[in-house]
Amino acid sequence: MRRIDELTIEIDQTSLELEKTKHELNTLFRQLRTLKKKIESGIEVDQKEYEDCVFNNKLLQMKRRRLVTHLKFLNKEFYEILY
């Protein structure tokens, strides 16, 4: 039972971190979309800011994928122990 409790805690923590990452991605995506609209309409934007947004977006997507994979692994282990 102890391992199940540890897994439950880790699953909860990973889920919270995943939700936080998704929220950050949504915020960054809106900012990136605004910058792209400005670029398309011919408004000049700070290229450094745009590149930073694109880079941070890629990093957050990688983090999200890592968390999803980790969560799947934890869930699999949890159910293997449980049943």
Side-chain angles (χ1 to χ4, degrees):
M1 287 303 273
R2 180 176 177 175
R3 181 64 181 145
I4 290 176
D5 293 338
E6 291 171 355
L7 282 170
T8 303
I9 291 169
E10 193 170 353
I11 287 170
D12 290 342
Q13 289 173 343
T14 304
S15 296
L16 287 174
E17 189 174 349
L18 183 59
E19 286 299 318
K20 179 183 171 204
T21 302
K22 284 181 180 180
H23 177 71
E24 290 174 3
L25 262 171
N26 285 336
T27 303
L28 191 60
F29 180 75
R30 276 183 261 152
Q31 183 181 6
L32 194 56
R33 185 175 54 187
T34 302
L35 289 172
K36 284 183 179 182
K37 283 182 180 179
K38 286 182 180 179
I39 291 172
E40 288 172 358
S41 65
I43 299 173
E44 192 170 316
V45 296
D46 183 17
Q47 191 64 27
K48 176 83 169 122
E49 180 184 2
Y50 177 74
E51 290 172 0
D52 286 345
C53 282
V54 170
F55 181 74
N56 289 334
N57 186 42
K58 288 180 182 181
L59 286 179
L60 283 172
Q61 286 178 0
M62 288 171 44
K63 180 179 179 181
R64 185 186 141 284
R65 279 188 228 112
R66 181 185 55 82
L67 288 170
V68 167
T69 303
H70 184 62
L71 192 58
K72 286 179 181 179
F73 173 77
L74 291 173
N75 282 324
K76 180 182 177 193
E77 186 176 346
F78 179 83
Y79 286 111
E80 286 176 353
I81 292 173
L82 193 61
Y83 297 109

